[in-house]
Coordinates of all heavy atoms in Angstrom, one line a residue:
M28 N -9.0 -10.9 -7.8 CA -8.3 -9.9 -8.7 C -6.9 -9.7 -8.1 O -6.7 -9.4 -6.9 CB -9.1 -8.6 -8.7 CG -8.5 -7.6 -9.7 SD -9.3 -6.0 -9.6 CE -8.5 -5.2 -8.3
S29 N -5.9 -9.8 -9.0 CA -4.5 -9.7 -8.5 C -3.9 -8.4 -9.1 O -4.0 -8.2 -10.3 CB -3.7 -10.9 -9.0 OG -4.1 -12.0 -8.3
L30 N -3.3 -7.6 -8.3 CA -2.6 -6.5 -8.8 C -1.2 -6.8 -9.1 O -0.5 -6.1 -9.9 CB -2.6 -5.4 -7.7 CG -4.0 -4.9 -7.3 CD1 -4.0 -4.0 -6.1 CD2 -4.7 -4.3 -8.5
K31 N -0.7 -7.8 -8.5 CA 0.8 -8.1 -8.7 C 0.9 -9.6 -8.9 O 0.2 -10.4 -8.3 CB 1.5 -7.7 -7.4 CG 3.0 -7.4 -7.7 CD 3.5 -6.7 -6.5 CE 3.9 -7.6 -5.4 NZ 4.6 -6.9 -4.3
T32 N 1.7 -10.0 -9.8 CA 1.9 -11.5 -10.1 C 3.3 -11.9 -9.6 O 4.1 -11.1 -9.3 CB 1.8 -11.7 -11.6 OG1 2.9 -11.0 -12.3 CG2 0.5 -11.2 -12.2
L33 N 3.4 -13.2 -9.6 CA 4.7 -13.8 -9.2 C 5.9 -13.3 -10.0 O 6.9 -13.0 -9.5 CB 4.6 -15.4 -9.3 CG 3.7 -16.0 -8.2 CD1 3.6 -17.5 -8.5 CD2 4.2 -15.8 -6.8
V34 N 5.6 -13.2 -11.3 CA 6.8 -12.7 -12.2 C 7.1 -11.3 -11.9 O 8.3 -10.9 -11.9 CB 6.5 -13.0 -13.7 CG1 5.5 -12.0 -14.3 CG2 7.7 -13.2 -14.5
D35 N 6.2 -10.5 -11.5 CA 6.5 -9.1 -11.0 C 7.3 -9.1 -9.8 O 8.3 -8.3 -9.6 CB 5.2 -8.3 -10.7 CG 4.3 -8.1 -11.9 OD1 4.8 -8.0 -13.0 OD2 3.1 -7.9 -11.7
T36 N 7.0 -10.0 -8.9 CA 7.7 -10.1 -7.6 C 9.2 -10.5 -7.9 O 10.1 -10.0 -7.3 CB 7.0 -11.1 -6.7 OG1 5.7 -10.6 -6.4 CG2 7.7 -11.2 -5.3
L37 N 9.3 -11.5 -8.8 CA 10.6 -12.0 -9.1 C 11.4 -10.8 -9.8 O 12.6 -10.6 -9.4 CB 10.5 -13.2 -10.1 CG 11.8 -13.9 -10.4 CD1 12.4 -14.6 -9.2 CD2 11.6 -14.8 -11.6
A38 N 10.8 -10.1 -10.7 CA 11.5 -9.0 -11.4 C 11.9 -7.9 -10.5 O 13.0 -7.3 -10.6 CB 10.6 -8.5 -12.5
A39 N 11.1 -7.7 -9.4 CA 11.4 -6.6 -8.4 C 12.5 -7.1 -7.4 O 12.9 -6.3 -6.6 CB 10.2 -6.2 -7.7
R40 N 12.8 -8.4 -7.5 CA 13.8 -9.0 -6.6 C 13.3 -8.9 -5.2 O 14.1 -8.7 -4.3 CB 15.2 -8.5 -6.8 CG 15.7 -8.9 -8.2 CD 17.0 -8.2 -8.6 NE 18.0 -8.4 -7.7 CZ 19.2 -7.8 -7.6 NH1 19.4 -6.8 -8.5 NH2 20.1 -8.1 -6.8
E41 N 12.0 -8.9 -5.0 CA 11.5 -8.8 -3.6 C 11.7 -10.2 -2.9 O 11.5 -11.2 -3.5 CB 10.0 -8.6 -3.7 CG 9.6 -7.2 -3.4 CD 8.1 -7.0 -3.3 OE1 7.3 -7.9 -3.6 OE2 7.7 -5.8 -3.0
N42 N 12.0 -10.1 -1.6 CA 12.1 -11.3 -0.8 C 10.7 -11.5 -0.2 O 10.2 -10.5 0.4 CB 13.1 -11.2 0.3 CG 14.5 -11.2 -0.3 OD1 14.8 -12.1 -1.1 ND2 15.3 -10.2 0.0
V43 N 10.1 -12.6 -0.3 CA 8.9 -12.9 0.3 C 9.0 -14.0 1.4 O 9.6 -15.1 1.1 CB 7.8 -13.4 -0.7 CG1 6.5 -13.6 -0.1 CG2 7.7 -12.4 -1.9
Y44 N 8.6 -13.7 2.6 CA 8.6 -14.7 3.7 C 7.2 -15.1 4.0 O 6.3 -14.3 4.1 CB 9.3 -14.1 4.9 CG 10.7 -13.7 4.7 CD1 11.1 -12.5 4.1 CD2 11.7 -14.6 5.0 CE1 12.4 -12.2 3.9 CE2 13.1 -14.3 4.8 CZ 13.4 -13.1 4.2 OH 14.7 -12.8 4.0
V45 N 7.1 -16.4 4.3 CA 5.8 -16.9 4.8 C 6.0 -17.2 6.3 O 7.0 -17.8 6.7 CB 5.3 -18.2 4.0 CG1 6.4 -19.3 3.9 CG2 4.0 -18.7 4.5
N46 N 5.1 -16.6 7.0 CA 5.2 -16.7 8.5 C 4.0 -17.5 9.1 O 2.9 -17.3 8.7 CB 5.2 -15.3 9.1 CG 6.2 -14.4 8.4 OD1 7.4 -14.5 8.6 ND2 5.7 -13.5 7.6
C47 N 4.3 -18.3 10.0 CA 3.3 -19.1 10.7 C 2.6 -18.2 11.6 O 3.2 -17.5 12.4 CB 3.9 -20.3 11.4 SG 2.7 -21.2 12.3
G48 N 1.2 -18.2 11.6 CA 0.4 -17.4 12.5 C 0.2 -18.0 13.9 O -0.5 -17.4 14.7
H49 N 0.8 -19.1 14.2 CA 0.6 -19.7 15.5 C 1.5 -19.1 16.5 O 2.7 -19.2 16.3 CB 0.7 -21.3 15.4 CG 0.1 -22.0 16.6 ND1 0.6 -21.8 17.9 CD2 -0.9 -22.8 16.7 CE1 -0.1 -22.5 18.7 NE2 -1.0 -23.2 18.0
P50 N 1.0 -18.6 17.7 CA 1.9 -17.9 18.6 C 3.0 -18.9 19.2 O 4.0 -18.4 19.7 CB 1.0 -17.4 19.7 CG -0.3 -18.1 19.5 CD -0.4 -18.5 18.1
M51 N 2.7 -20.2 19.2 CA 3.7 -21.1 19.8 C 4.8 -21.4 18.8 O 5.8 -22.1 19.1 CB 3.0 -22.4 20.1 CG 2.0 -22.4 21.2 SD 2.7 -22.3 22.8 CE 3.3 -24.0 22.9
C52 N 4.7 -21.0 17.6 CA 5.6 -21.4 16.5 C 6.3 -20.2 15.8 O 7.5 -20.0 16.0 CB 4.7 -22.2 15.5 SG 5.6 -22.7 14.0
C53 N 5.5 -19.3 15.1 CA 6.0 -18.1 14.5 C 7.2 -18.4 13.5 O 8.1 -17.6 13.4 CB 6.5 -17.1 15.5 SG 5.2 -16.6 16.6
K54 N 7.2 -19.6 13.0 CA 8.2 -20.0 12.0 C 8.1 -19.1 10.8 O 7.0 -18.8 10.3 CB 8.0 -21.4 11.6 CG 9.1 -22.0 10.8 CD 8.7 -23.4 10.4 CE 9.3 -23.9 9.1 NZ 10.4 -24.8 9.3
S55 N 9.3 -18.7 10.3 CA 9.3 -17.8 9.1 C 10.2 -18.5 8.1 O 11.3 -18.9 8.4 CB 9.8 -16.5 9.5 OG 10.1 -15.7 8.3
T56 N 9.8 -18.6 6.9 CA 10.5 -19.3 5.8 C 10.5 -18.4 4.6 O 9.5 -17.8 4.2 CB 9.9 -20.6 5.4 OG1 9.7 -21.4 6.6 CG2 10.8 -21.4 4.5
R57 N 11.7 -18.2 3.9 CA 11.7 -17.5 2.7 C 11.2 -18.3 1.6 O 11.5 -19.4 1.4 CB 13.2 -17.1 2.4 CG 13.3 -16.0 1.4 CD 14.7 -15.5 1.1 NE 14.7 -15.1 -0.2 CZ 15.8 -15.1 -1.0 NH1 16.9 -15.4 -0.5 NH2 15.7 -14.7 -2.2
L58 N 10.3 -17.7 0.8 CA 9.7 -18.4 -0.4 C 10.7 -18.3 -1.6 O 11.3 -17.3 -1.8 CB 8.4 -17.7 -0.8 CG 7.2 -17.9 0.0 CD1 6.0 -17.2 -0.6 CD2 6.9 -19.4 0.1
D59 N 10.7 -19.4 -2.3 CA 11.5 -19.5 -3.5 C 10.5 -19.1 -4.7 O 9.7 -19.9 -5.1 CB 12.0 -20.9 -3.7 CG 12.9 -21.0 -4.9 OD1 12.8 -20.1 -5.8 OD2 13.7 -22.0 -5.0
I60 N 10.6 -17.8 -5.1 CA 9.6 -17.4 -6.1 C 9.7 -18.1 -7.4 O 8.7 -18.4 -8.1 CB 9.8 -15.8 -6.3 CG1 9.5 -15.1 -5.0 CG2 8.8 -15.3 -7.4 CD1 8.1 -15.1 -4.4
A61 N 11.0 -18.4 -7.8 CA 11.2 -19.1 -9.1 C 10.5 -20.5 -9.0 O 9.9 -20.9 -10.0 CB 12.7 -19.2 -9.4
A62 N 10.6 -21.1 -7.9 CA 10.0 -22.4 -7.8 C 8.5 -22.3 -7.8 O 7.8 -23.2 -8.3 CB 10.5 -23.1 -6.5
L63 N 8.0 -21.3 -7.2 CA 6.5 -21.1 -7.2 C 6.0 -20.8 -8.6 O 5.0 -21.3 -9.0 CB 6.1 -19.8 -6.3 CG 5.9 -20.1 -4.9 CD1 5.4 -18.8 -4.2 CD2 4.9 -21.2 -4.6
I64 N 6.8 -20.1 -9.4 CA 6.4 -19.8 -10.8 C 6.4 -21.2 -11.6 O 5.5 -21.4 -12.4 CB 7.4 -18.8 -11.4 CG1 7.1 -17.4 -10.8 CG2 7.2 -18.8 -13.0 CD1 8.1 -16.4 -11.3
D65 N 7.4 -22.0 -11.3 CA 7.4 -23.3 -11.9 C 6.1 -24.1 -11.6 O 5.5 -24.8 -12.4 CB 8.6 -24.2 -11.5 CG 9.9 -23.7 -12.1 OD1 9.8 -23.0 -13.1 OD2 10.9 -24.2 -11.7
R66 N 5.6 -24.0 -10.4 CA 4.4 -24.7 -9.9 C 3.1 -24.1 -10.3 O 2.2 -24.7 -10.7 CB 4.4 -24.9 -8.4 CG 5.3 -26.1 -7.9 CD 5.4 -26.1 -6.4 NE 4.0 -26.0 -5.8 CZ 3.8 -25.7 -4.5 NH1 4.9 -25.4 -3.7 NH2 2.6 -25.7 -4.0
L67 N 3.1 -22.7 -10.3 CA 1.8 -22.0 -10.4 C 1.7 -21.2 -11.7 O 0.6 -20.8 -12.0 CB 1.6 -21.1 -9.2 CG 1.7 -21.7 -7.8 CD1 1.8 -20.7 -6.7 CD2 0.5 -22.7 -7.6
G68 N 2.8 -21.0 -12.3 CA 2.8 -20.1 -13.5 C 3.1 -18.7 -13.2 O 2.8 -18.2 -12.1
P69 N 3.7 -18.0 -14.1 CA 4.2 -16.6 -13.9 C 3.1 -15.6 -13.6 O 3.3 -14.6 -13.0 CB 4.9 -16.2 -15.1 CG 4.5 -17.2 -16.2 CD 4.1 -18.4 -15.5
D70 N 1.8 -15.9 -14.1 CA 0.7 -15.0 -13.9 C -0.1 -15.2 -12.7 O -1.0 -14.5 -12.4 CB -0.2 -15.0 -15.1 CG 0.5 -14.6 -16.4 OD1 1.4 -13.8 -16.4 OD2 0.1 -15.1 -17.5
H71 N 0.3 -16.1 -11.9 CA -0.3 -16.3 -10.6 C -0.1 -15.1 -9.7 O 1.0 -14.6 -9.7 CB 0.2 -17.6 -9.9 CG -0.6 -18.0 -8.7 ND1 -1.7 -18.9 -8.8 CD2 -0.6 -17.6 -7.4 CE1 -2.2 -19.1 -7.6 NE2 -1.6 -18.3 -6.8
G72 N -1.1 -14.7 -9.0 CA -1.0 -13.5 -8.2 C 0.0 -13.7 -7.0 O 0.2 -14.9 -6.6
S73 N 0.7 -12.7 -6.6 CA 1.6 -12.8 -5.5 C 1.1 -12.0 -4.3 O 1.9 -11.7 -3.4 CB 3.0 -12.4 -5.9 OG 3.0 -11.0 -6.2
M74 N -0.2 -11.6 -4.3 CA -0.7 -10.9 -3.1 C -1.2 -11.9 -2.1 O -1.3 -13.1 -2.4 CB -2.0 -10.1 -3.5 CG -1.7 -9.1 -4.7 SD -0.6 -7.8 -4.4 CE -1.7 -6.7 -3.5
H75 N -1.3 -11.4 -0.9 CA -1.7 -12.3 0.3 C -2.8 -13.3 -0.1 O -2.7 -14.5 0.1 CB -2.1 -11.4 1.4 CG -2.6 -12.2 2.6 ND1 -1.8 -12.6 3.6 CD2 -3.8 -12.6 3.0 CE1 -2.5 -13.3 4.5 NE2 -3.7 -13.3 4.1
Q76 N -3.9 -12.7 -0.7 CA -5.1 -13.6 -0.9 C -4.8 -14.6 -2.0 O -5.5 -15.6 -2.1 CB -6.3 -12.7 -1.2 CG -6.3 -12.0 -2.5 CD -5.6 -10.6 -2.4 OE1 -4.9 -10.3 -1.5 NE2 -5.9 -9.7 -3.4
D77 N -3.8 -14.4 -2.8 CA -3.5 -15.4 -3.9 C -2.7 -16.5 -3.3 O -2.6 -17.6 -3.9 CB -2.6 -14.7 -5.0 CG -3.4 -13.5 -5.6 OD1 -4.5 -13.6 -5.9 OD2 -2.7 -12.5 -5.7
L78 N -2.0 -16.3 -2.2 CA -1.0 -17.3 -1.7 C -1.4 -18.0 -0.4 O -1.0 -19.0 -0.1 CB 0.3 -16.6 -1.5 CG 1.0 -15.9 -2.7 CD1 2.3 -15.2 -2.3 CD2 1.4 -17.0 -3.7
V79 N -2.3 -17.3 0.3 CA -2.6 -17.7 1.7 C -3.1 -19.2 1.7 O -2.8 -19.9 2.7 CB -3.5 -16.7 2.4 CG1 -4.9 -16.8 1.9 CG2 -3.5 -17.0 3.9
G80 N -3.9 -19.6 0.7 CA -4.5 -20.9 0.8 C -3.5 -22.0 0.4 O -3.8 -23.2 0.6
L81 N -2.3 -21.6 0.0 CA -1.3 -22.6 -0.6 C -0.4 -23.2 0.5 O 0.3 -24.2 0.3 CB -0.5 -22.0 -1.6 CG -1.2 -21.4 -2.9 CD1 -0.3 -20.6 -3.7 CD2 -1.8 -22.6 -3.6
F82 N -0.3 -22.5 1.7 CA 0.7 -22.9 2.6 C 0.1 -23.4 3.9 O -0.8 -22.8 4.5 CB 1.6 -21.7 2.9 CG 2.4 -21.3 1.6 CD1 1.9 -20.3 0.8 CD2 3.5 -22.0 1.3 CE1 2.6 -19.9 -0.3 CE2 4.2 -21.6 0.1 CZ 3.7 -20.6 -0.7
V83 N 0.7 -24.4 4.4 CA 0.4 -24.9 5.8 C 1.8 -25.1 6.5 O 2.7 -25.5 5.9 CB -0.2 -26.3 5.7 CG1 -0.6 -26.8 7.1 CG2 -1.5 -26.3 4.8
C84 N 1.8 -24.7 7.7 CA 3.1 -24.8 8.5 C 3.4 -26.2 8.8 O 2.6 -26.9 9.5 CB 3.0 -24.0 9.8 SG 4.5 -24.1 10.8
A85 N 4.5 -26.7 8.2 CA 4.8 -28.2 8.4 C 5.2 -28.5 9.9 O 4.9 -29.5 10.4 CB 6.0 -28.5 7.5
D86 N 5.8 -27.5 10.6 CA 6.1 -27.7 12.0 C 4.9 -27.9 12.8 O 4.8 -28.7 13.7 CB 6.9 -26.5 12.5 CG 8.4 -26.5 12.0 OD1 8.6 -27.3 11.1 OD2 9.2 -25.8 12.6
C87 N 3.8 -27.0 12.6 CA 2.6 -27.1 13.4 C 1.9 -28.4 13.1 O 1.3 -29.0 13.9 CB 1.7 -25.9 13.1 SG 2.3 -24.4 13.9
K88 N 1.9 -28.8 11.8 CA 1.2 -30.0 11.4 C 1.9 -31.2 12.1 O 1.2 -32.0 12.7 CB 1.4 -30.2 9.9 CG 0.3 -31.0 9.3 CD 0.4 -31.0 7.7 CE -0.4 -32.0 7.1 NZ -0.1 -32.1 5.6
A89 N 3.2 -31.2 12.1 CA 4.0 -32.3 12.8 C 3.7 -32.3 14.3 O 3.7 -33.4 14.9 CB 5.5 -32.1 12.5
A90 N 3.5 -31.1 14.9 CA 3.3 -31.0 16.3 C 1.8 -31.1 16.7 O 1.4 -30.9 17.8 CB 3.9 -29.7 16.9
S91 N 1.0 -31.3 15.7 CA -0.5 -31.4 15.9 C -1.1 -30.2 16.5 O -2.0 -30.2 17.3 CB -0.9 -32.6 16.7 OG -0.4 -33.8 16.1
R92 N -0.5 -29.0 16.2 CA -1.0 -27.7 16.7 C -2.2 -27.3 15.9 O -2.3 -27.8 14.7 CB 0.0 -26.6 16.7 CG 1.0 -26.8 17.9 CD 1.9 -25.5 18.0 NE 3.0 -25.5 17.0 CZ 4.2 -25.9 17.3 NH1 4.6 -26.3 18.5 NH2 5.1 -25.8 16.3
D93 N -3.0 -26.4 16.4 CA -4.1 -25.9 15.5 C -3.6 -25.3 14.3 O -2.5 -24.7 14.3 CB -4.9 -24.7 16.2 CG -5.3 -25.0 17.6 OD1 -5.4 -26.1 18.0 OD2 -5.5 -24.0 18.3
R94 N -4.4 -25.4 13.2 CA -3.9 -24.8 12.0 C -4.3 -23.4 12.0 O -5.5 -23.0 12.1 CB -4.6 -25.5 10.8 CG -4.1 -25.0 9.5 CD -4.7 -25.7 8.3 NE -4.4 -24.9 7.1 CZ -4.8 -25.4 5.9 NH1 -5.3 -26.5 5.7 NH2 -4.5 -24.6 4.9
R95 N -3.3 -22.5 11.9 CA -3.5 -21.1 11.9 C -3.1 -20.6 10.5 O -2.2 -21.1 9.9 CB -2.7 -20.3 12.9 CG -2.9 -20.8 14.3 CD -4.2 -20.4 14.9 NE -4.4 -20.9 16.2 CZ -4.1 -20.2 17.3 NH1 -3.6 -19.0 17.2 NH2 -4.3 -20.7 18.5
P96 N -3.9 -19.5 10.0 CA -3.5 -19.0 8.7 C -2.1 -18.4 8.7 O -1.6 -17.9 9.7 CB -4.5 -17.9 8.4 CG -5.3 -17.7 9.7 CD -5.0 -18.8 10.6
V97 N -1.4 -18.6 7.6 CA -0.1 -18.0 7.5 C -0.2 -16.5 7.1 O -1.3 -16.1 6.6 CB 0.8 -18.8 6.5 CG1 1.1 -20.2 6.9 CG2 0.2 -18.7 5.1
F98 N 0.8 -15.8 7.2 CA 0.8 -14.4 6.7 C 2.2 -14.2 6.0 O 3.1 -15.0 6.2 CB 0.5 -13.3 7.7 CG 1.5 -13.3 8.9 CD1 2.5 -12.3 8.9 CD2 1.3 -14.1 10.0 CE1 3.4 -12.3 9.9 CE2 2.2 -14.0 11.0 CZ 3.2 -13.1 11.0
F99 N 2.2 -13.2 5.2 CA 3.4 -13.0 4.3 C 4.1 -11.6 4.7 O 3.4 -10.7 5.1 CB 3.0 -13.0 2.9 CG 2.4 -14.3 2.5 CD1 1.0 -14.5 2.5 CD2 3.2 -15.3 2.1 CE1 0.4 -15.7 2.2 CE2 2.6 -16.6 1.8 CZ 1.2 -16.7 1.8
T100 N 5.4 -11.6 4.5 CA 6.2 -10.4 4.6 C 6.9 -10.2 3.3 O 7.6 -11.1 2.8 CB 7.2 -10.5 5.8 OG1 6.6 -11.1 6.9 CG2 7.8 -9.2 6.1
F101 N 6.7 -9.0 2.7 CA 7.3 -8.7 1.5 C 8.4 -7.7 1.8 O 8.2 -6.6 2.3 CB 6.3 -8.1 0.5 CG 5.2 -9.0 0.1 CD1 4.1 -9.1 0.9 CD2 5.3 -9.8 -1.0 CE1 3.1 -10.0 0.5 CE2 4.3 -10.7 -1.4 CZ 3.2 -10.8 -0.6
V102 N 9.6 -8.1 1.4 CA 10.8 -7.2 1.7 C 11.4 -6.7 0.4 O 11.9 -7.5 -0.3 CB 11.8 -8.0 2.6 CG1 13.0 -7.0 2.9 CG2 11.2 -8.5 3.9
P103 N 11.4 -5.4 0.2 CA 11.9 -4.9 -1.1 C 13.4 -5.2 -1.1 O 14.1 -5.4 -0.1 CB 11.7 -3.4 -1.0 CG 10.6 -3.2 0.0 CD 10.8 -4.4 1.0
D104 N 14.0 -5.1 -2.3 CA 15.4 -5.4 -2.6 C 16.2 -4.1 -2.2 O 16.6 -3.4 -3.1 CB 15.6 -5.8 -4.0 CG 17.0 -5.9 -4.4 OD1 17.9 -6.2 -3.5 OD2 17.4 -5.8 -5.6
Y105 N 16.3 -3.8 -0.9 CA 17.0 -2.6 -0.5 C 18.4 -2.5 -1.1 O 18.8 -1.4 -1.5 CB 17.1 -2.5 1.0 CG 15.7 -2.3 1.7 CD1 15.3 -3.3 2.6 CD2 15.0 -1.2 1.4 CE1 14.0 -3.1 3.2 CE2 13.8 -1.0 2.1 CZ 13.3 -2.0 2.9 OH 12.1 -1.8 3.5
Q106 N 19.1 -3.6 -1.1 CA 20.5 -3.5 -1.6 C 20.6 -3.1 -3.0 O 21.3 -2.2 -3.4 CB 21.2 -4.9 -1.4 CG 22.7 -4.8 -1.5 CD 23.3 -6.2 -1.5 OE1 22.7 -7.1 -1.0 NE2 24.5 -6.3 -2.0
G107 N 19.7 -3.7 -3.9 CA 19.6 -3.4 -5.3 C 19.3 -1.9 -5.5 O 19.8 -1.2 -6.3
Q108 N 18.3 -1.4 -4.7 CA 17.9 0.0 -4.8 C 19.0 0.9 -4.4 O 19.2 1.9 -5.0 CB 16.7 0.2 -3.9 CG 15.4 -0.4 -4.4 CD 14.2 -0.3 -3.4 OE1 14.3 0.3 -2.4 NE2 13.1 -0.9 -3.8
D109 N 19.8 0.6 -3.3 CA 20.9 1.4 -2.9 C 22.0 1.4 -4.0 O 22.5 2.5 -4.3 CB 21.5 0.8 -1.7 CG 20.7 1.2 -0.4 OD1 19.8 2.0 -0.6 OD2 21.1 0.7 0.7
E110 N 22.2 0.3 -4.6 CA 23.2 0.2 -5.7 C 22.8 1.1 -6.9 O 23.6 1.8 -7.4 CB 23.5 -1.2 -6.1 CG 24.3 -2.0 -5.1 CD 24.3 -3.5 -5.4 OE1 23.8 -3.9 -6.4 OE2 24.9 -4.2 -4.5
A111 N 21.5 1.0 -7.2 CA 21.0 1.8 -8.3 C 21.2 3.3 -8.0 O 21.5 4.1 -8.9 CB 19.6 1.5 -8.6
R112 N 20.9 3.7 -6.8 CA 21.0 5.1 -6.3 C 22.4 5.6 -6.4 O 22.7 6.7 -6.8 CB 20.4 5.2 -4.9 CG 19.9 6.6 -4.5 CD 19.2 6.6 -3.2 NE 18.0 5.7 -3.2 CZ 17.7 4.8 -2.2 NH1 18.5 4.6 -1.2 NH2 16.6 4.1 -2.3
S113 N 23.4 4.7 -5.9 CA 24.8 5.2 -5.9 C 25.3 5.3 -7.3 O 26.2 6.1 -7.6 CB 25.6 4.3 -5.0 OG 25.6 3.0 -5.5
R114 N 24.8 4.4 -8.3 CA 25.2 4.6 -9.7 C 24.8 5.9 -10.2 O 25.5 6.6 -10.9 CB 24.6 3.4 -10.5 CG 25.5 2.2 -10.6 CD 25.2 1.3 -11.7 NE 23.8 0.8 -11.6 CZ 23.4 -0.3 -10.9 NH1 24.3 -0.9 -10.2 NH2 22.1 -0.6 -10.9
R115 N 23.5 6.3 -9.9 CA 23.0 7.6 -10.4 C 23.8 8.7 -9.8 O 24.2 9.7 -10.4 CB 21.6 7.8 -10.0 CG 20.6 7.2 -10.9 CD 19.2 7.7 -10.8 NE 18.6 7.5 -9.4 CZ 18.0 6.3 -9.1 NH1 17.9 5.4 -9.9 NH2 17.5 6.2 -7.9
A116 N 24.2 8.6 -8.5 CA 24.8 9.7 -7.8 C 26.3 9.9 -8.3 O 26.8 10.9 -8.2 CB 24.9 9.4 -6.3
S117 N 26.9 8.8 -8.8 CA 28.2 8.9 -9.3 C 28.4 9.5 -10.7 O 29.4 9.8 -11.2 CB 28.9 7.5 -9.3 OG 28.3 6.7 -10.2
R118 N 27.2 9.7 -11.3 CA 27.2 10.3 -12.7 C 27.5 11.8 -12.5 O 27.0 12.5 -11.7 CB 25.8 10.1 -13.3 CG 25.9 10.1 -14.8 CD 24.5 9.9 -15.4 NE 23.9 8.6 -15.1 CZ 22.6 8.4 -15.0 NH1 21.7 9.4 -15.1 NH2 22.1 7.2 -14.7
P119 N 28.4 12.4 -13.4 CA 28.7 13.8 -13.3 C 27.5 14.6 -13.5 O 26.6 14.3 -14.3 CB 29.7 14.1 -14.4 CG 30.2 12.7 -14.8 CD 29.2 11.7 -14.5
T120 N 27.3 15.7 -12.7 CA 26.1 16.5 -12.8 C 26.4 17.9 -13.3 O 25.5 18.8 -13.3 CB 25.5 16.6 -11.4 OG1 26.4 17.1 -10.5 CG2 24.9 15.2 -10.9
F121 N 27.6 18.1 -13.8 CA 27.9 19.5 -14.3 C 28.8 19.3 -15.5 O 29.5 18.3 -15.7 CB 28.5 20.4 -13.3 CG 29.8 19.9 -12.8 CD1 31.0 20.3 -13.4 CD2 29.9 19.0 -11.7 CE1 32.2 19.8 -12.9 CE2 31.1 18.5 -11.2 CZ 32.3 18.9 -11.9
E122 N 28.8 20.3 -16.3 CA 29.7 20.3 -17.5 C 30.6 21.5 -17.4 O 30.2 22.6 -16.8 CB 28.9 20.4 -18.8 CG 28.0 19.2 -19.1 CD 27.1 19.4 -20.3 OE1 27.4 20.3 -21.1 OE2 26.2 18.7 -20.4
R123 N 31.8 21.4 -18.0 CA 32.7 22.5 -18.0 C 32.2 23.6 -19.0 O 31.8 23.2 -20.1 CB 34.1 22.1 -18.4 CG 34.8 21.3 -17.2 CD 36.2 21.3 -17.3 NE 36.7 20.7 -18.6 CZ 37.9 20.6 -19.0 NH1 38.9 21.1 -18.3 NH2 38.2 20.0 -20.1
G124 N 32.3 24.8 -18.6 CA 31.7 25.9 -19.5 C 32.6 26.3 -20.6 O 33.7 25.9 -20.8
Ligands
ZN216 ZN1 3.8 -23.2 12.7

């Protein structure tokens, strides 16, 4: 069951990073959500359990390290939220009597 889909993540302009769980590696790569939608479809879930099976760390594979599960970091679009807030704040809040 998915609460959130890839297209929701794209619309929210969230940055999603896939992180290698191997302590010798800890590689982190930003996911291209638009490219994932092309591959998986817009209704594919974007929660951890929807994505975890899809990724293998290429560096660990190349180095023949144990395969460790990846984990994800979801970073909200702070800059967009700040801009929206400052647009609201700049609106006049009083009228002349
Ligand atoms: Zn790795």
Side-chain angles (χ1 to χ4, degrees):
M28 190 184 81
S29 291
L30 299 172
K31 205 163 84 176
T32 63
L33 289 174
V34 80
D35 292 337
T36 300
L37 187 71
R40 295 169 61 191
E41 257 184 354
N42 291 309
V43 184
Y44 294 85
V45 56
N46 307 288
C47 177
H49 198 295
M51 297 280 288
C52 178
C53 300
K54 186 183 154 104
S55 172
T56 310
R57 195 179 148 201
L58 283 183
D59 184 341
I60 300 295
L63 273 184
I64 289 174
D65 284 347
R66 275 175 53 197
L67 304 169
D70 296 330
H71 192 94
S73 64
M74 308 291 280
H75 176 88
Q76 67 271 20
D77 301 315
L78 299 174
V79 70
L81 299 171
F82 297 94
V83 183
C84 177
D86 284 12
C87 285
K88 206 174 167 188
S91 304
R92 283 192 282 261
D93 309 339
R94 184 175 164 177
R95 303 290 177 92
V97 297
F98 61 96
F99 300 93
T100 313
F101 297 87
V102 182
D104 175 25
Y105 290 118
Q106 194 188 339
Q108 287 172 3
D109 282 352
E110 283 167 8
R112 204 172 297 132
S113 62
R114 271 198 300 276
R115 275 199 299 277
S117 66
R118 209 181 293 153
T120 56
F121 62 91
E122 293 174 19
R123 286 200 301 178

